[in-house]
Amino acid sequence: MRNLIFSMLLGANVLAIAGTALADESDHKESRGVLSIAVFGDSPYGNNDADTAQFLATPAFIKSINDDSDVSLVLHVGDIHSGKQTCSLGYNQSIYDMWKAFKSPVVYTPGDNEWTDCNKSKEGGLDPLVNLGYVRDTFFATPGHAIAVDKPVLSQSQHYDPNYPKDAEYVENVMWEQSNVVFVTLNVPGGSNNDEDNWYGIDRTQPQTDEILNRTGADLRWLDKAFALAKASHAKAMVIQLQADMWDLDGNQPSHIGAYRQFIDSIALHTTNFGKPVLLLNGDSHGYRSDNPLLKGAPCVTEKIGSQSTEVACTNDAYNNQPNGYSVKNFHRITVHGSNSVDNPNMEWLKLNVDRDDSDDHASASSFGPFSWKRMVQALPPKPKP
């Protein structure tokens, strides 16, 4: 039945791979009824190209995830270097090579520092579209497959709407179903308001205009299909993975969130119609945050400034930092802690558990519906003395 659903939703040619793109229900790590996922992003970071402390600590960071025998999936929400480091194909390859050490499949969605912001002088003043090509060539060379450990997923490059043939370019947009949860990734870059900041600080170019229009359309159509799949296959929940913190004022710049309205509107409408828990995972703003920005007055937890582990209650200001008002109770968002551009003694990943037997959409500081999570801090080794 689910193969038939995939076929109808995504095209007849998906039938042959649908079964393997669905949950691997025989995975021994899920035998106890819980799927454990390691989520991280905005990592590794450096203050400049010469600052390699976090880069060099990444193998130990990967080991900390591998050493957790529960984990069977890794998600990276974008930004593999800071906005003060040069974009390059070689650097991308070095990250990919390190990620091959993961013992679980890795699903990655690009961040702004990998491509949209490459035009900035601190990142080399380079062509964003060329650098998006570098990302695709490195991390998505085999469409429809995860990184490190092979896991079939459905890629928009293979299952695009034929009415929009340019959607075939978005190999980075994928979806799959696991533990009766539909997962979907979208290339929505943060920092520059969905790539609305003019490249090179000059007048808007036609290639940038086309980039925004084509990618945004492809993202929204892919999101439509993911929700259609979740409803048709009677999934118990959904997870949306993207990079942008769509509610972050980014240094008190309200203009830096307006272009996300179309995504937020779509997510709000689809989530309401779906009627089951929908969890959004994003990075971009670096500070850990657990909230529901689609419900006025919803509880909010964030990390205390200057502390990577202490959590404090916060006001749900994200609700006000958006163009529309909403009232969507079955939605929750986690911003994973990211590296800082200043000296940072730790790196961090989020252990996200999916319990197959729990579908209530009640939210607490560290749980929502079938989801519960815990922050896992990995101490960096001390820097060598000069």
Side-chain angles (χ1 to χ4, degrees):
M1 176 58 72
R2 291 192 179 187
N3 286 359
L4 179 59
I5 291 169
F6 265 67
S7 179
M8 291 188 297
L9 290 174
L10 300 176
N13 64 336
V14 78
L15 187 58
I17 67 167
T20 52
L22 290 171
D24 181 1
E25 300 294 344
S26 63
D27 192 327
H28 72 281
K29 291 184 179 180
E30 298 180 48
S31 62
R32 62 189 177 90
V34 176
L35 167 66
S36 291
I37 307 167
V39 189
F40 73 109
D42 299 285
S43 175
Y45 259 43
N47 296 315
N48 48 56
D49 289 338
D51 181 1
T52 59
Q54 289 200 0
F55 180 87
L56 295 175
T58 296
F61 177 75
I62 292 172
K63 184 178 184 300
S64 75
I65 295 174
N66 286 341
D67 286 348
D68 189 322
S69 60
D70 296 337
V71 173
S72 59
L73 180 65
V74 178
L75 307 180
H76 190 288
V77 295
D79 272 9
I80 56 174
H81 62 76
S82 79
K84 298 178 180 179
Q85 294 174 288
T86 304
C87 302
S88 73
L89 177 60
Y91 180 86
N92 294 352
Q93 186 65 49
S94 67
I95 295 295
Y96 179 84
D97 290 342
M98 283 197 289
W99 284 1
K100 288 192 294 186
F102 277 111
K103 295 181 179 179
S104 301
V106 180
V107 179
Y108 154 72
T109 189
D112 58 317
N113 288 347
E114 289 93 309
W115 70 282
T116 57
D117 289 352
C118 291
N119 71 92
K120 297 179 179 179
S121 59
K122 290 183 179 180
E123 296 200 53
L126 305 169
D127 187 331
L129 292 177
V130 169
N131 281 274
L132 179 57
Y134 290 162
V135 168
R136 289 169 171 166
D137 290 346
T138 304
F139 297 98
F140 304 97
T142 307
H145 294 270
I147 300 165
V149 176
D150 189 28
K151 173 185 179 63
V153 293
L154 299 173
S155 169
Q156 191 170 18
S157 67
Q158 298 168 311
H159 307 294
Y160 58 91
D161 185 335
N163 293 313
Y164 300 92
K166 290 194 72 63
D167 288 5
E169 296 177 8
Y170 297 92
V171 65
E172 62 272 18
N173 287 349
V174 303
M175 72 175 78
W176 72 98
E177 185 173 358
Q178 192 165 356
S179 293
N180 200 22
V181 174
V182 169
F183 294 77
V184 61
T185 72
L186 303 171
N187 185 349
V188 182
S192 56
N193 191 21
N194 194 38
D195 197 27
E196 286 284 345
D197 286 356
N198 286 359
W199 295 347
Y200 312 108
I202 60 177
D203 292 342
R204 176 66 56 86
T205 64
Q206 190 61 46
Q208 183 178 8
T209 298
D210 294 342
E211 187 288 309
I212 297 168
L213 180 65
N214 293 334
R215 178 181 44 76
T216 297
D219 284 339
L220 292 172
R221 286 185 285 273
W222 195 239
L223 187 65
D224 290 345
K225 287 190 174 184
F227 272 99
L229 170 61
K231 289 192 70 173
S233 65
H234 304 289
K236 67 184 297 180
M238 273 196 65
V239 173
I240 302 170
Q241 174 186 340
L242 50 81
Q243 194 248 344
D245 182 344
M246 299 185 291
W247 295 272
D248 179 36
L249 293 182
D250 190 25
N252 199 28
Q253 298 184 68
S255 63
H256 263 193
I257 59 173
Y260 296 124
R261 172 177 174 167
Q262 55 209 321
F263 300 110
I264 297 172
D265 282 351
S266 179
I267 290 170
L269 178 62
H270 278 306
T271 299
T272 299
N273 291 338
F274 180 49
K276 298 177 184 179
V278 175
L279 178 66
L280 173 67
L281 301 172
N282 68 261
D284 184 30
S285 52
H286 296 259
Y288 171 81
R289 187 181 178 104
S290 168
D291 67 356
N292 179 359
L294 299 184
L295 183 66
K296 188 174 183 179
C300 174
V301 174
T302 188
E303 63 180 275
K304 184 178 180 181
I305 296 175
S307 170
Q308 199 172 18
S309 57
T310 303
E311 295 172 16
V312 296
C314 53
T315 57
N316 193 5
D317 54 1
Y319 180 85
N320 301 317
N321 295 348
Q322 57 190 347
N324 286 348
Y326 307 87
S327 183
V328 185
K329 296 180 180 179
N330 57 313
F331 180 79
H332 200 80
R333 183 272 296 263
I334 302 173
T335 300
V336 298
H337 175 96
S339 304
N340 298 320
S341 58
V342 297
D343 288 345
N344 188 346
N346 300 313
M347 297 169 75
E348 181 175 315
W349 57 280
L350 188 81
K351 185 173 182 177
L352 176 67
N353 292 322
V354 183
D355 189 334
R356 294 182 189 166
D357 299 324
D358 188 354
S359 59
D360 190 339
D361 62 7
H362 175 74
S364 72
S366 58
S367 67
F368 167 65
F371 308 104
S372 61
W373 55 90
K374 179 180 180 181
R375 298 169 65 194
M376 312 294 286
V377 178
Q378 173 69 29
L380 289 175
K383 290 184 178 180
K385 296 181 179 179

